[in-house]
């Protein structure tokens, strides 16, 4: 996750460069300062971050030898529409120290990183923005959204006598070691069918199950439950925690908070939500981050029992290679469209200007081709808006109404929607 600053003008000229191993403690201190955490740097954190950061992809801005801005990227895969894993440049740990805001440090770090990503052959860059207005000027557009629900269990209309799945499956409590064995294969099945999902490495599962405990994230052991189908196949996992709150009259008012829930089938998803709502003393279930069109409310007899408590932009996408990005995904419709993609340098060295051009997209259920062309443009749009459209969530018709894309041919935005939009919304289950 990132928390950078706007940059307008330069009063000093700190050196922006990849860090060395010796810089790591100072870089962590700057990172903690930017995120308003205590600037103390523990030896355990130095050891942990040293184990996974790539110094050549970890940038710092140094003023008189002190790190005053941080930026890190790493290799990741993102699932395109249709299930193809696409190489992505994932950006995180973006901060600028309060004393050095508005001096162009983010712009310089972003330009350095995006140029390197383009040279490596990454198709897209991705990030999760702490603040909305920052990243559009670097060519990023919000491509997925996320929603959290709070479920009022007594109001759901569910049968309180429920004692297990009706489909022949079963739910069992397991421990973290079981999750580390069962989770990666299950998640890979889910990721392959979920546009916008990113891969998880071994460290993700170690942190998520407590095998690796971080000083900056105090660990409370959660409950883990697994759903197996009638045939014994693992089809769902959930991690959750519960509080201990009782109201007047000695009535339980406890909340189950979901850390994450992964389900490969609707049956598994329904069974796990039903299980959470059936736990004795639990009167509220907090869903955690879910897809905006998640089925949760409609697994309940009374969907109004699930109240939206958060709905916000989530994964932002920056297209680095238009041809490969559009050819990597599948299309539900058939048609052709000439796109004029604007990715001009903004004059501040932001790293923009290397993915624009005019392209003819021809697509059908059998595949797609995207080729540079000199044909007359039918739809003109900024590279950031192509990022919004790429995973199928945004509507070109809506962007045209907002003045963000321009139709050069009447009906071109409608053609774009028929080609690009998906029947289910993309979603990124993770934060990074």
């Amino acid at each position: 996750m990132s928390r950078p600053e706007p940059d307008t003008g330069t009063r000093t000229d700190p050196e922006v460069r990849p860090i060395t191993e010796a810089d790591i403690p100072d870089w962590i201190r700057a990172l903690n300062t930017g995120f308003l955490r205590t600037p103390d740097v523990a030896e355990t954190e130095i050891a942990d971050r040293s184990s996974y950061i790539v110094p050549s992809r970890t940038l710092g801005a140094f003023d008189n030898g002190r790190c005053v801005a941080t930026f890190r990227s790493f290799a990741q895969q993102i699932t395109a529409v249709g299930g193809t894993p696409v190489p992505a440049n994932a950006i995180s740990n973006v901060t600028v120290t309060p004393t050095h805001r508005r001096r162009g440090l983010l712009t310089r770090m972003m330009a350095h990183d995006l140029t390197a990503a383009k040279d490596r052959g990454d198709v897209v860059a991705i990030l999760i923005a702490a603040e909305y207005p920052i990243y559009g000027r670097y060519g990023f557009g919000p491509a997925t959204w996320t929603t959290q629900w709070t479920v009022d269990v007594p109001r759901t209309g569910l049968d309180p006598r429920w004692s297990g799945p009706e489909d022949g499956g079963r739910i069992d409590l397991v421990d973290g070691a079981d999750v580390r064995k069962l989770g990666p294969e299950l998640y890979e099945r889910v990721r392959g069918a979920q546009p916008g999902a990113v891969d998880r490495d071994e460290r993700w599962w170690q942190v998520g199950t407590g095998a690796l405990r971080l000083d900056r994230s105090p660990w409370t052991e959660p409950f883990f439950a697994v759903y197996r189908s009638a045939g014994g196949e693992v089809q769902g996992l959930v991690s959750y925690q519960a509080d201990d709150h009782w109201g007047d009259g000695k009535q339980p008012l406890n909340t189950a908070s979901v850390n994450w829930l992964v389900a490969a089938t609707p049956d598994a998803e329904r069974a796990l939500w039903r299980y959470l709502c059936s736990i004795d003393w639990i009167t509220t279930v907090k869903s955690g981050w879910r897809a905006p069109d998640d089925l949760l409310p409609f697994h309940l007899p009374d969907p109004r029992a699930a109240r939206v408590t958060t709905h916000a932009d989530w994964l932002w996408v920056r297209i680095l290679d238009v041809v490969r990005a559009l050819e990597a995904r599948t299309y539900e419709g058939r048609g052709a469209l000439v796109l004029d993609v604007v990715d001009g340098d903004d004059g501040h060295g932001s790293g923009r200007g290397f993915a624009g051009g005019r392209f003819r997209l021809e697509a059908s259920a059998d595949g797609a081709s995207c080729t540079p062309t000199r044909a007359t443009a039918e739809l003109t749009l900024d590279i950031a808006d192509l990022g919004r459209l790429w995973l199928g969530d945004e509507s070109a018709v809506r962007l045209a109404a907002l003045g963000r894309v321009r139709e050069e041919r009447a009906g071109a935005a409608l053609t774009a929607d028929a080609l690009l939009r998906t029947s289910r919304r993309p979603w990124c289950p993770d934060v990074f």
Side-chain angles (χ1 to χ4, degrees):
M1 201 154 185
S2 44
R3 186 176 174 225
E5 42 68 53
D7 6 309
T8 57
T10 301
R11 287 176 291 175
T12 63
D13 190 23
E15 178 189 15
V16 171
R17 59 169 173 81
I19 69 170
T20 66
E21 185 175 348
D23 293 322
I24 291 176
D26 191 33
W27 187 89
I28 295 172
R29 180 199 48 73
L31 177 69
N32 289 343
T33 298
F35 279 110
L36 301 181
R37 299 191 291 248
T38 175
D40 292 343
V41 180
E43 291 297 325
T44 52
E45 182 167 13
I46 295 171
D48 174 56
R49 291 199 182 271
S50 298
S51 71
Y52 67 85
I53 64 173
V54 179
S56 64
R57 297 183 63 166
T58 306
L59 302 177
F62 294 85
D63 189 3
N64 293 321
R66 182 183 180 90
C67 188
V68 295
T70 64
F71 190 111
R72 182 174 73 91
S73 70
F74 57 97
Q76 202 162 49
Q77 289 186 340
I78 182 173
T79 304
V81 176
T84 298
V86 171
N89 178 61
I91 295 171
S92 187
N93 297 152
V94 181
T95 72
V96 175
T97 300
T99 55
H100 286 70
R101 298 170 66 245
R102 303 182 185 278
R103 302 189 191 184
L105 298 182
L106 170 58
T107 295
R108 292 167 60 192
M109 293 188 295
M110 184 68 76
H112 184 287
D113 185 73
L114 292 183
T115 300
K118 175 71 173 178
D119 291 343
R120 275 194 308 270
D122 291 332
V123 175
V124 297
I126 56 177
L127 56 82
I128 294 174
E131 298 176 51
Y132 190 97
I134 295 168
Y135 292 100
R137 68 180 182 271
Y138 304 115
F140 290 84
T144 79
W145 293 68
T146 192
T147 304
Q148 289 183 306
W149 281 271
T150 297
V151 179
D152 183 351
V153 173
R155 186 179 168 185
T156 60
L158 292 168
D159 186 349
R161 298 169 297 176
W162 186 86
S163 59
E166 299 85 359
D167 58 4
R170 61 177 291 159
I171 292 175
D172 295 298
L173 288 171
V174 294
D175 61 23
D178 296 314
V179 173
R180 290 191 293 277
K181 295 176 184 177
L182 303 173
E185 190 277 333
L186 171 65
Y187 180 74
E188 281 303 298
R189 276 190 280 143
V190 172
R191 181 171 77 96
Q194 179 58 67
V198 296
D199 60 320
R200 293 176 176 175
D201 59 15
E202 181 182 357
R203 184 177 185 277
W204 190 97
W205 294 100
Q206 291 178 336
V207 173
T209 58
L212 177 60
R213 303 188 182 187
L214 309 177
D215 291 344
R216 62 182 179 276
S217 303
W219 176 254
T220 300
E221 186 74 17
F223 300 97
F224 299 105
V226 58
Y227 168 86
R228 292 181 173 89
S229 67
E233 182 184 27
V234 173
Q235 294 185 343
L237 278 167
V238 63
S239 167
Y240 67 95
Q241 293 168 302
D243 64 8
D244 183 21
H245 178 58
W246 292 70
D248 297 337
K250 205 167 180 280
Q251 294 298 313
L253 298 173
N254 299 315
T255 297
S257 298
V258 173
N259 300 315
W260 50 264
L261 185 152
V262 177
T265 66
D267 285 344
E269 185 178 338
R270 178 169 52 252
L272 289 173
W273 288 123
R274 183 67 183 87
Y275 162 74
L276 291 166
C277 291
S278 73
I279 300 171
D280 287 343
W281 300 355
I282 295 297
T283 59
T284 301
V285 172
K286 292 185 178 293
S287 71
W289 303 112
R290 305 297 302 166
D293 62 346
D294 197 88
L295 300 176
L296 167 59
F298 302 100
H299 285 316
L300 310 176
D302 184 352
R304 292 184 183 180
R307 175 171 52 91
V308 173
T309 48
T310 302
H311 178 73
D313 59 284
W314 196 243
L315 186 77
W316 289 57
V317 169
R318 205 280 186 210
I319 304 291
L320 299 172
D321 188 323
V322 173
V323 171
R324 291 170 64 201
L326 292 179
E327 289 185 345
R329 55 159 290 169
T330 60
Y331 298 83
E332 296 179 6
R334 174 184 293 273
L337 189 65
V338 177
L339 302 170
D340 195 1
V341 180
V342 179
D343 189 14
D345 196 328
D346 61 7
H348 297 288
S350 66
R352 301 193 62 179
F354 45 61
R358 189 167 297 176
F359 305 90
R360 178 177 176 82
L361 172 65
E362 296 186 51
S364 71
D366 298 323
S369 68
C370 180
T371 55
T373 183
R374 294 183 178 180
T376 301
E378 296 174 289
L379 192 70
T380 298
L381 70 167
D382 188 83
I383 193 71
D385 292 309
L386 184 61
R388 289 172 178 253
L389 295 167
W390 180 59
L391 287 174
D393 194 47
E394 186 55 270
S395 161
V397 170
R398 187 167 80 156
L399 292 179
L402 291 168
R404 297 193 61 94
V405 307
R406 185 173 71 248
E407 288 189 315
E408 312 296 352
R409 171 183 63 79
L414 194 61
T415 300
D417 279 359
L419 290 175
L420 297 168
R421 298 205 80 185
T422 55
S423 53
R424 291 293 302 271
R425 299 183 70 175
W427 176 50
C428 179
D430 293 337
V431 60
F432 55 87

